[in-house]
Amino acid sequence: MPNPSRRVVSSLIFAASTLVPFLTTSATAQKPFQIEQRWTIGGTGGWDYLTADPTSHRLYIAHLTRVDVVDTNTGKVIGAVEGLTRCHGVVIAPDGKTGFASDGGANNVVVFDTSNFSTLTKIPAGTNPDGMAYEGSTNTLWAFNGTSKNATVIDVASRKAIGTVALPGRPEFPQSDDKGTVFVNIEDKNSLVRLDAKAQKVTATWPLAGCDSPSGLAFDKDGGRLFSVCDGKKMVVTDSHTGKSLGTPTIGDGPDASGYDASKKLAFSSNGDGTLSVVDASQATYPVIQTLSTMKGARTMAFDSSTGKIYTVTAKFGPTPPATAATPRPRPSILPDSFTVLVIGQD
C-alpha cells in the first residue's frame, strides 16, 4: 500500500484519448480501453486503495477517515465505514458478511459488518497497518505494518491477532495464493518477500532488479506470476515459484497499484502521471499495448473480475504549499467535493 510519506452524479464519457495505439494480439483482439463513466463521490481529504467485490457489486474506497462504499451498478454511494483515522485498505471476507479496514493512524484493523457498515471490533496491529491480504488455507488476514516493518496475522474466525512476523524492510502491497503462501513488496529494499502462512515466517527474499520503491502488486495465480509496479516507470514480472525475473515492461510514471485480468491475460498499472498502462502478459516480451489517459493523481485502482471493469480514483488539485524542513516534498491541496471514481472498460 502507499506509504503516507509518499502519497496520500455519474455521467457517461466515451471521449478518452490514448497516448499509444492499442495493438491487436491473440490475447487482446478487442476494443481499446476507455473511460466510460465518472462518478463524483465528493468529500474531503486524501485516499488510498480500492477494493472491488465482484459478488456484491460494490467498490470499497479507503478515503482517509472513512471507507466509502459504492454500488457499481448505479455509481451511487450506499454507505460508509466511519470513524477511522488514516485508512489504507479494505479486505472483504469470503462469506461477504465481514470487512476489514486497516487504520494506519490508530494502529489497528477495524472489522465491520457489510450489511450496515457498523464497526464490530478493532484488532490491535503493528505501527501503521497498510496493505492487507486474506489467505484462504489458514483463514487468516495478513496486515502489513509499514512503520514497524512487520506483519500482524489475524485469525478471521475469532477476529484476534495470532502472530507477528518480522520483515526485512517496509512492506507495501501483498498478495496470497490461498494455498499457504503470501507475497509482499518491500519498498525500501526493492525486493519481494515470500512467506509461509502456516509457519508464519519468511521463506525467501527476491531482489527486484530494475525496480525502485515497489508499491502495487498483482498476481496471476494460474500462471504463477507476480506484477510489481515501481518508480522509474517499471513493472517487474516475477516467477512466484522461483523468484526469477520474467520481464520489466516500461509503464507510466508514479504508479501505486496494479491489477491482473486472468481471462484476457492483461496486467495493469495505474500511474500518478494520469495514465493507465496495459501490458499483454500472454507474450514473453510483455509489451505495453495501450497507455490510456486518465487524470493526474489516479494512481490507485481495483479490477472487477465479474465485469472486466477497472476503477481508479482522483480529485482536482489546488496549489502546492511551500516546502519546509518538516515537509520537504509537499503535496498539492485537494479541492473539496472533487473526489471522483473513473470507470474504465472496453465496451
Side-chain angles (χ1 to χ4, degrees), residues 59-242:
L59 181 68
Y60 293 85
I61 307 170
H63 196 179
L64 194 60
T65 60
R66 56 192 280 144
V67 176
D68 290 322
V69 186
V70 179
D71 183 329
T72 56
N73 290 320
T74 65
K76 304 295 185 181
V77 176
I78 59 173
V81 181
E82 305 274 11
L84 305 177
T85 305
R86 189 174 64 247
C87 182
H88 290 300
V90 176
V91 169
I92 304 301
D95 64 7
K97 298 178 181 179
T98 306
F100 300 83
S102 56
D103 190 349
N107 298 329
N108 59 39
V109 174
V110 175
V111 186
F112 63 91
D113 186 331
T114 59
S115 69
N116 57 18
F117 314 121
S118 63
T119 295
L120 299 173
T121 190
K122 297 179 181 179
I123 304 169
T127 308
N128 187 28
D130 195 344
M132 299 189 297
Y134 172 79
E135 202 292 300
S137 71
T138 55
N139 195 30
T140 53
L141 181 83
W142 289 64
F144 288 87
N145 307 302
T147 302
S148 55
K149 299 180 181 180
N150 56 16
T152 301
V153 186
I154 296 169
D155 178 72
V156 170
S158 66
R159 302 172 187 168
K160 294 182 179 180
I162 58 173
T164 301
V165 183
L167 298 168
R170 185 168 61 244
E172 272 285 337
F173 201 80
Q175 289 285 353
S176 165
D177 66 358
D178 288 320
K179 298 178 180 179
T181 304
V182 178
F183 305 91
V184 66
N185 285 329
I186 303 297
E187 180 188 28
D188 57 339
K189 302 295 184 181
N190 301 334
S191 61
L192 181 64
V193 160
R194 182 183 67 193
L195 301 112
D196 183 319
K198 185 175 182 179
Q200 296 186 13
K201 67 177 184 179
V202 174
T203 57
T205 301
W206 299 321
L208 294 173
C211 176
D212 182 27
S213 298
S215 51
L217 183 66
F219 193 15
D220 169 15
K221 293 185 179 181
D222 293 333
R225 296 177 297 177
L226 294 154
F227 302 87
S228 302
V229 294
C230 315
D231 288 350
K233 302 182 179 182
K234 289 295 180 184
M235 174 186 284
V236 178
V237 187
T238 303
D239 186 312
S240 66
H241 304 292
T242 67

Side-chain angles (χ1 to χ4, degrees), residues 240-301:
S240 66
H241 304 292
T242 67
K244 178 183 177 181
S245 179
L246 303 175
T248 54
T250 299
I251 56 175
D253 193 25
D256 201 25
S258 57
Y260 183 72
D261 184 341
S263 66
K264 299 175 182 175
K265 291 184 169 55
L266 297 175
F268 308 100
S269 172
S270 52
N271 312 308
D273 63 4
T275 63
L276 178 81
S277 302
V278 183
V279 175
D280 184 355
S282 72
Q283 298 193 52
T285 55
Y286 296 97
V288 175
I289 57 173
Q290 186 182 4
T291 302
L292 174 68
S293 293
T294 55
M295 288 177 63
K296 180 182 177 182
R299 56 188 308 220
T300 62
M301 64 160 284

Side-chain angles (χ1 to χ4, degrees), residues 23-37:
L23 306 178
T24 301
T25 70
S26 58
T28 58
Q30 302 177 47
K31 296 179 181 179
F33 286 91
Q34 58 189 351
I35 299 174
E36 297 178 341
Q37 297 183 72

